Amino acid sequence: MQMRTSSSKDISDKESAEDTPSTPWPGSKGDCQQTDDSSGKETQLKSLLEDLRLEHHYTEKLSLGTVLQIEERTITDEPAKCNSDLPWYFLKKLMMVNVTARNVKCTSECESNCDAASGNTELDLDDLFDSLHSGDVINPLDIITALFLCSDGFVRQEMALKMSMCQFSVPLLLPNCDTKQCTLMLWAMRDIVKKYRPQKLLESKGFIEDRIVVSELPMISFVRLGECSLSKSETLNKLLSNSQQYHDTFIHHNMECGDSSRRISNGLTEVTWYLPCGNKNMDIFSEPVAVANLRGDIASFETQFSFLSLTSAAVFVFFDNLDSECKLLTNQHHKAQIFLVGNHQRQSFSLDALKTVATKLGLTKSNILLKAKHMNDADFIKHLQKTISNVVENTKMKMGIEQMADIAHELGIFVDEDCAECQTAKKNADAITAEIQDTLEYKEAQLPLQGQIWKELTVLEKEEFRLRKVGSENIEKYKSDLKIQKRKLREKQNSCDMSNAMTCFIKAISSPGIERSYFLKWMRMNLDNLSREKLSGLRELYKKKCENSENKEEIKEIDRQLSNSSLGTEHFFREMGQIYEASLSLPETDPSRQQLQHLPKLCAELMLDGFPLELVDGDASNIPLRWVSDVLSQLNILVSPKSKILVVTVLGVQSTGKSTLLNTMFGVQFAVSSGRCTRGAFMLLIRINEDVKKELNCDFMVIIDTEGLKSPELAQLDNSHEHDNELATFVVGLSDITIINIAMENSTEMKDILQIVVHAFLRMKEVGKKPKCQFVHQNVSDVSAHDKNLRDRKLLLQQLNEMTQAAAKMEKKEENKSFTDVMEYSPDTGNWYIPGLWNGNPPMAPVNAGYSEAVYELKKNIIQILGRCESSANNIMEFTEWMESLWNAVKHENFIFSFRNSLVADAYMRLCTEFNKWEWEFKKEMYTWVTNAETRISNFGTVAVKSELSDMKELLTLLKSEACTELTKWETKILGNLKQYFEQTEGHVYLVEGYKEEFSSSAKSLRREMESSVYNQLTAAADIRQGMTELDRIKENHTKELEGRVRQLIEECRGKKVQMTDKELDKEFDKMWNKTVKELSFSKQKATNVFTNVSLYLRENLSRKGSHACELLSQKRLQHCGLIPFKYTVEGICNQLKHKACQWFNINDHVMVSQNMADRIIDACTQFVTEKMERKNNYHDTYIQEILHMIDERLQNNQNVKIDIEFEVSLKQHICGVAARQFQKMHEDFIHANDPYECLNRNKEKFRADFKDVFHERDQCQKKAEEFTSRCLRPSVEDFVNRSLGPDITGEMLTRFKFSTRMFFQYSVLLDLLSKDDFENYKSYICSYEDHVKKWTHKQIEEHFSKGDRVCEFEDRHVLSSISSINDAINKAKTKKSGNVKTFVEDVCQELGDKLVISQDALGAFMILNNADQEQFAYWLTECVKDMAQALREKFKTETIQMKLKNLHVKPQNELFTQVIGCGQQCPFCKAPCDAGADKHGEHFAKLHRPEGLGRFKWDGTKKLVIDICSSLVNSEARFRCNGTKGEWHPYKNYTEIFPDWIIQSDVSLEASDYWKYVLAKFNKEFAKAYNAEPADIPKTWKTITRKQAEASLKESFNIK
Ligand SMILES: Nc1nc2c(ncn2[C@@H]2O[C@H](COP(=O)(O)OP(=O)(O)OP(=O)(O)O)[C@@H](O)[C@H]2O)c(=O)[nH]1
Ligand SMILES: [Mg+2]
Ligand SMILES: [Zn+2]
Ligand SMILES: [Zn+2]
């Protein structure tokens, strides 16, 4: 025990040491301004505040921001552990209007003293006794008093409001026990509005709704004189509770901790109200009454007592003991009737004294209430009630709390509204609201911009996207006209001078912090007061009429009136937004525009202070996008950079308590009222405290409250269906979690609303966002609701599934079959049952504790779900971007196809960039591998082979299986990368989740393509090598033979013993050579007929196309094909079309398109052939197979061009003819080059020189080394560099922005065009796209590599690596000490066999007559290799990049071209190239579509170029016809039915296609001339587009920042 005490003491010491304030106890400010004479001393107040750790808030008042922020303790259920937890515990519960908020107690006291822990099991009564009398327990009244003392005006208001909702008493006079000064809590109570029905309105079923501080009510006060054994507060509670339900309005002795002594709350005067509901049987008092309760003895609180006597209708004085002198009572000047309440049961009770006092006060019998012995509690209470009723009914003394302020002032009591900020703010607010007579008139006069003009603007804005009324007019012209009309409306807005009200309003909200907050609160209250009377009546009426939907017209009228009569601060802010937006259409330098620049910042500051921002204007059904985005970007500047936010929204039927739910959950103040209340959507920021930031991975929570969705009947009335749909889609799209509020009782209504919501979710899923949702079922009272409603939940899910199917059908996304396809939803965890809000009958009902608790559970769950989100939250700018693109898409009719979002685009781009990197890595590795494999094949069967395999077939099989392993490795790697990529949380990868499949199948197809290409290369190399073995053997024999003869000759010559001259030697040598050559047999290699082979493959290729194809094929011999340029003839098509009247089919265009396609295919094939020719290798059948494959693939990709079999056959014949001819030549050249006779003759001079050297016994070392270097090594090194350089250059280019993805490439090309701004350039881009791209790419490579010496670096690297391999080989060979140069060289070659291909011919010739000494040779060889390296580098330096590109095996320009050309598809309407990323993508799309005229479309009659843009057309009612529609007209909207592979998205914004509009406007005449047409009618607004705007639109379209 000893130990325990000391340790607990230690802790408390430590705690207090830590928490000692560093500054001396300061005086307080605000309403407690008097000097504090107790400074320095430990005062009651100070010590209590220290116990609660609130001391620093005494000066630095608690603000709403702090109270409402989300922190650890708001979301955990940790019980209060120490006293300092208590205020927060109370606040947390109070903010959620939990009626148990006042039951605050630390648990640690008793539990930490656990005996078991100290091993002490003895009965320890001392300890028990101690803990019973623990002086540490704090009275809840003290906590409340302390909190009020430590809070600013806004927290006080909030506390008072929530306390009154809980039916707790609220402070009327707040004491400060240090200064002995008290304060009237007028401001704190200002926000309380009560609704009740007094007797006189019983008949009419009317009610009174009023701000309680202005209601003039009789007040009945209860005070205590001296000691009193009767619990005043408990008596009061009984008095105010109705018979069925007891409620603790006032804290009393018998409540938890109510018995611990009050340290600072004596003198506290509380007030509560009894308000009748109009039911005689239930109402305790038939008229409303205020009940005040003074804590403590009036002897010590005279001021308070005087105040009560002057303001109350009656004062009930409770006492045990009355002093007959009792000056306190008798000296007072009372206005109130005095009632004396004594406890007769007490022994000390003196009847005499009572009599004296009563006489002095002139009291009658009825003024004295005594609780007699025989009287039970109930009777006593009844008696009291009756007395009070009497007073209330008869008194004239009625007073609002507002009026009490004067009395307070007279008595020296402060009023919390006295501070200067509050008063100035009030004056400012009053000045504005005093002007308001008729709301509608006022709005029209003072807030004109948001009225009709804004509504008209909204209509225009939406029409710009929806194009519903375009009729027969040209769409682009129509759009241009709309734009002009819009501009006019903005001008009209700008022409309004800023109204007086707005000037005052903006001035007032520009005032510093606290005054601004007061101002806005005053405004809100004033405006509320003004419209309450009218609105609450209308709302009630609305609610009633809605119950019976027959009164449609009436409802509509009421709704209109509601909208007209409502006037809140949001209207002023809305006007501000309009003023700001209108000003943006003025020139940037305009002073009136500049004056308004600061408005968004003002608003952003307000948001940070917790004020809601109107996102959607519910009246106009529109968002002032610029305004809202600018406010948000200002907000982004104000908060720490990259602050992240999570969004919680609520959706549901009207008046189902959505706003109430949010207010309860987060302690916020969205407008709440019965009847139609919230309009549009509001967003509000809540700060996340440091301690949970990490967990939630965000800095703010955004809460969005929305307008209630209407039932279809109501929606029908004002066509608000669309509005509801827009709103739901928009907010669901913005949110991370959507709470769907359902009132279970009305299931058909619910179903209709859900339908809207399901649509919204489906749309979101389609655009890549997966908001989570929670269903909230309100008014479910039963505790076991969750289990009971299992059936209901099943039903709900079933309904949701049906709705999903219906929605999917409407949105044409039928693959969505069930609700869970659309989103993650589990019927078990996604449903919440919340009991009714009120516990009993309003107005006297407190909030149901079950409601608050259930909402709290939901809140915890929501925060948990948000914390578990696998993807990271948006930052403010990202949120803004989402918002903008969502709203733009909402404005279109076809949301799914119109949604374009830069975050999605960003994520997609990142994915493409990454994927391209992996893909290239893969390709590059495979190129290296193939190079190596080919080297091994080329060296096969020569000295330079390491492998033990003797059979080429075996080697090939081995290599193929190696290749397969390699390919699989890389494929797995890419797929792994992809998987990993999608597992990360940053970068919004979930948005592009839908593309995952595409990319993974792309990886697989890449593997397949690589495999077939690798196999082909290996096979060709092996076959060619195989063909050479025989030749090599012959050559080797020949060489051997000759070598023998030469040696013989040398012997002979030496034998002659005469000195022979060179001439004689030559003669001998020639003689010997001619003789030998004659004797050797040279079977001439026979060339194969390539034509035969090619024909064979062509026939096989076409055999699948039917007999007609074969027939056509037989009509012409291949030898006769490809001799003249290919020309497409139209005969076939014409024949086909003869019988149909097809005027729509433009033959000329068709011919042009077909010819174009054919030319492009021919070009590609020619290029292939040329490249093969350049390699000077033998022909191989894989070549023609590849060519045929290329043709087929390209034809496949151009299916929109209608071709017939004649076309295909003749094209293939043409290409094969050309190819066969070339290949034939290549083959023959090869045979010639490798002919043994030729080879032998080529080496004749070398033989001669060697002959002489050997004869003369000259030292051959240096010469041989040079020879080996220059004839064998150097070519192979050069070859090696050429093989390796291609991938290097390609790799380098691919890292450049321009080539990193297809879209960036497209963007760069277009930007380049714009910078040149030259017609011919545009034309070449449009008319010969591939050619243009090829040239452009080529130029980019040249440009990039002509500067600096990047290429030389690459080359050096490869040269060096070869040299080092050679040196290694030499050193290794040296160690073998064979002593023979021949074996030495063979060793060297073998070492290099994997890396360098050493020419067999050269090697063979080198080997003969070699008498060099190995060591000497090795020395010289090393020297020569050094020189060679130098020489090679010199040579490379002098070569231009163009020359180098020619020699490369892997051509960078081809690689890049394949990369950027992608799938090669073009928009079926405007021919814009497809920009999709993965190779094998599901749908094609282009970022930027063009006016169709640029693709040669012209009007039939006028021949004028067409200005329409497909991205607009797909939104309109317009129709088209083409091949695909078989000439029938088809709506553009349903273009996917004809072109299922294409997605044509609407423009991101109306300016998105400015680029091409600008081009067409500028080069209209030139294009017309080039296309043989008339110039287009250019809409007015197109002509004003500047080059800068065109560039901006390009950036926007490609999402470049
Ligand atoms: N009886 C009862 N009344 C409730 C309950 N929840 C809310 N209310 C009251 O219903 C009225 C409407 O609540 P709001 O929160 O304004 O409803 P809302 O859904 O936001 O309404 P709109 O914004 O107009 O669609 C208020 O007076 C609430 O006090 C409940 O569970 N039971
Ligand atoms: Mg609401
Ligand atoms: Zn297009
Ligand atoms: Zn494509």
Side-chain angles (χ1 to χ4, degrees), residues 911-1090:
L911 174 59
C912 287
T913 314
E914 280 304 299
F915 189 80
N916 284 355
K917 267 191 219 143
W918 306 329
E919 195 180 81
W920 171 242
E921 204 182 347
F922 179 15
K923 279 192 184 168
K924 187 171 167 177
E925 282 304 311
M926 285 321 290
Y927 285 140
T928 314
W929 188 90
V930 167
T931 303
N932 180 276
E934 279 183 329
T935 307
R936 279 163 74 185
I937 293 175
S938 301
N939 286 335
F940 188 77
T942 71
V943 289
V945 71
K946 262 187 197 165
S947 131
E948 269 90 64
L949 295 174
S950 52
D951 186 18
M952 178 63 95
K953 253 201 200 123
E954 273 177 55
L955 176 67
L956 192 59
T957 318
L958 179 78
L959 285 176
K960 278 188 178 172
S961 102
E962 264 179 47
C964 187
T965 316
E966 196 72 4
L967 286 161
T968 308
K969 184 179 104 196
W970 280 96
E971 183 188 350
T972 318
K973 188 160 178 208
I974 293 194
L975 292 175
N977 284 346
L978 198 63
K979 186 159 170 278
Q980 211 177 359
Y981 186 85
F982 279 99
E983 273 161 12
Q984 62 183 336
T985 53
E986 291 300 312
H988 301 288
V989 289
Y990 61 95
L991 291 176
V992 286
E993 186 87 40
Y995 293 102
K996 193 171 163 186
E997 218 23 63
E998 252 173 35
F999 278 85
S1000 87
S1001 68
S1002 260
K1004 286 175 196 152
S1005 101
L1006 176 67
R1007 183 242 155 88
R1008 277 194 302 274
E1009 272 165 31
M1010 283 310 275
E1011 184 171 296
S1012 100
S1013 145
V1014 166
Y1015 282 10
N1016 276 344
Q1017 287 183 63
L1018 293 179
T1019 314
D1023 286 351
I1024 291 170
R1025 176 71 224 148
Q1026 190 68 5
M1028 298 283 286
T1029 32
E1030 180 59 21
L1031 270 179
D1032 282 346
R1033 208 183 45 74
I1034 295 168
K1035 286 185 200 163
E1036 204 182 313
N1037 286 339
H1038 291 168
T1039 311
K1040 260 195 195 132
E1041 181 66 33
L1042 267 167
E1043 192 180 7
R1045 300 276 180 111
V1046 174
R1047 286 199 187 282
Q1048 215 178 333
L1049 184 63
I1050 291 172
E1051 290 301 306
E1052 278 169 25
C1053 292
R1054 284 203 182 134
K1056 283 184 182 164
K1057 300 258 187 213
V1058 267
Q1059 198 61 23
M1060 291 183 80
T1061 60
D1062 261 13
K1063 227 180 191 160
E1064 285 164 329
L1065 284 175
D1066 279 344
K1067 216 168 131 195
E1068 287 299 318
F1069 178 82
D1070 284 335
K1071 217 162 78 199
M1072 178 279 299
W1073 182 270
N1074 290 338
K1075 184 165 170 274
T1076 316
V1077 168
K1078 239 181 235 149
E1079 283 169 19
L1080 290 174
S1081 63
F1082 290 103
S1083 56
K1084 229 182 165 46
Q1085 271 284 98
K1086 228 177 135 271
T1088 35
N1089 189 345
V1090 177

Side-chain angles (χ1 to χ4, degrees), residues 586-731:
L586 295 170
E588 258 171 65
T589 47
D590 195 303
S592 41
R593 172 169 174 173
Q594 284 171 343
Q595 270 166 20
L596 299 168
Q597 290 297 311
H598 68 292
L599 292 185
K601 185 163 175 232
L602 268 182
C603 228
E605 287 170 1
L606 286 171
M607 281 194 79
L608 269 184
D609 287 346
F611 287 92
L613 171 75
E614 185 180 69
L615 265 183
V616 181
D617 171 351
D619 289 324
S621 226
N622 196 3
I623 300 181
L625 256 195
R626 269 303 292 273
W627 165 246
V628 175
S629 332
D630 286 359
V631 171
L632 290 176
S633 51
Q634 284 299 325
L635 180 70
N636 189 45
I637 297 171
L638 290 177
V639 298
S640 51
K642 296 255 165 197
S643 279
K644 295 195 162 175
I645 54 178
L646 286 169
V647 185
V648 178
T649 348
V650 67
L651 264 183
V653 189
Q654 289 185 64
S655 293
T656 47
K658 297 181 296 298
S659 306
T660 312
L661 183 74
L662 289 182
N663 288 354
T664 311
M665 206 177 311
F666 297 104
V668 292
Q669 282 196 353
F670 286 118
V672 179
S673 179
S674 60
R676 196 158 154 66
C677 177
T678 313
R679 293 273 173 135
F682 293 85
M683 70 179 271
L684 190 144
L685 279 187
I686 289 190
R687 212 179 272 275
I688 308 272
N689 194 32
E690 291 297 335
D691 57 0
V692 280
K693 248 181 206 172
K694 272 238 174 64
E695 243 167 88
L696 275 175
N697 191 16
C698 87
D699 306 86
F700 291 96
M701 186 164 291
V702 168
I703 298 165
I704 301 182
D705 185 24
T706 60
E707 173 174 329
L709 303 174
K710 287 187 187 173
S711 66
E713 284 109 60
L714 291 181
Q716 240 175 23
L717 294 177
D718 46 358
N719 256 332
S720 61
H721 223 113
E722 196 165 277
H723 171 66
D724 281 0
N725 251 311
E726 288 172 6
L727 192 75
T729 307
F730 179 66
V731 295

Side-chain angles (χ1 to χ4, degrees), residues 194-211:
K194 294 278 185 186
K195 195 164 152 181
Y196 56 91
R197 180 173 293 147
Q199 194 102 68
K200 60 175 187 285
L201 293 178
L202 203 57
E203 295 289 280
S204 62
K205 288 254 179 247
F207 58 88
I208 290 177
E209 186 179 339
D210 212 354
R211 210 165 276 286

